Amino acid sequence: MRNNQQSRNVVLTGFMGSGKSTVGVILAGKLVKEFVDTDTIIEQMYGAIPEIFKSEGEDAFRRYEREVSEQLALKENLVIATGGKLLLDQTNAELLGSSGRIFCLSAPVDQIIERILKDGLSERPLLDSEDFEEQLKEIYYQRAASYASFEQVDTAGRAPSEIASEIRDLLLPENK
Ligand code: S3P
């Protein structure tokens, strides 16, 4: 039973720029699990995300996210960073939630804007707009209630390693 618990996946959700991949890599090191990123898997299978959005449309991208969720739900011992909207689909959330524990990284909208500007916008087709900030805020507030339904980890003003340590501690048997 204990081994079984230990091999369960850890799944990270949260808005674009909330730090899922950065925190996920560090967390995987701490937990001795393999790190995977759903956007990277889709890119390996189907090509660059902006290109998928442009040539096949967002619906095709969301179908690829479902396919990846089905595949990853069958695996264990992973830390999975998910694309920002993947777990807002109920079926995907059920699939990945059945394979492990889900944490949502949260940050105030101003910090999200700052981080995304630092990362660069080019990989995020949903924010490809004349008024990037307005577009981002609209999506952020549209999704806020959905993200709030997951177990929250506050990232505001905190270093990725500190956030990863908090998640590791939340996973300790006494904190379950
Ligand atoms: C999206 C987030 C992106 C990527 C795609 C769509 C979203 O992932 O999956 O551009 O709808 O929130 P990140 O959250 O890793 O940026």
Side-chain angles (χ1 to χ4, degrees):
M1 179 65 185
R2 192 169 161 76
N3 270 343
N4 211 7
Q5 281 298 323
Q6 281 181 345
S7 61
R8 283 172 66 71
N9 296 331
V10 178
V11 186
L12 303 180
T13 184
F15 201 78
M16 294 174 261
S18 60
K20 293 162 290 190
S21 303
T22 311
V23 169
V25 169
I26 300 170
L27 181 62
K30 288 182 192 287
L31 297 174
V32 200
K33 290 183 185 286
E34 184 189 344
F35 173 75
V36 295
D37 179 314
T38 61
D39 286 341
T40 307
I41 296 172
I42 291 173
E43 295 204 315
Q44 284 162 351
M45 292 168 69
Y46 297 106
I49 292 172
E51 198 45 47
I52 298 173
F53 270 72
K54 206 165 109 195
S55 60
E56 300 173 63
E58 181 172 348
D59 286 356
F61 178 74
R62 301 302 175 196
R63 280 199 301 280
Y64 300 152
E65 289 194 314
R66 170 67 58 79
E67 194 182 316
V68 170
S69 302
E70 286 166 349
Q71 289 169 3
L72 293 179
L74 301 174
K75 300 192 174 181
E76 49 181 32
N77 223 12
L78 301 175
V79 172
I80 305 171
T82 59
K85 202 180 177 193
L86 184 143
L87 284 188
L88 302 189
D89 174 274
Q90 203 187 330
T91 303
N92 294 347
E94 282 167 12
L95 280 164
L96 291 181
S98 71
S99 81
R101 185 152 152 198
I102 301 174
F103 296 95
C104 177
L105 305 190
S106 69
V109 72
D110 294 350
Q111 286 195 21
I112 294 278
I113 290 172
E114 249 175 59
R115 290 182 200 160
I116 290 183
L117 284 174
K118 233 199 240 160
D119 281 7
L121 287 171
S122 60
E123 292 307 309
R124 294 189 165 102
L126 287 181
L127 302 176
D128 185 12
S129 148
E130 291 268 292
D131 192 342
F132 144 77
E133 284 198 25
E134 195 181 309
Q135 173 87 353
L136 184 146
K137 283 182 182 163
E138 192 182 322
I139 305 175
Y140 182 95
Y141 291 113
Q142 255 170 19
R143 293 185 185 173
S146 308
Y147 287 125
S149 68
F150 296 101
E151 183 171 357
Q152 301 291 300
V153 176
D154 183 14
T155 70
R158 301 172 73 197
S161 61
E162 192 187 333
I163 301 159
S165 296
E166 178 180 338
I167 298 173
R168 179 202 55 205
D169 293 348
L170 287 168
L171 289 162
L172 292 172
E174 60 268 32
N175 294 326
K176 285 208 164 108

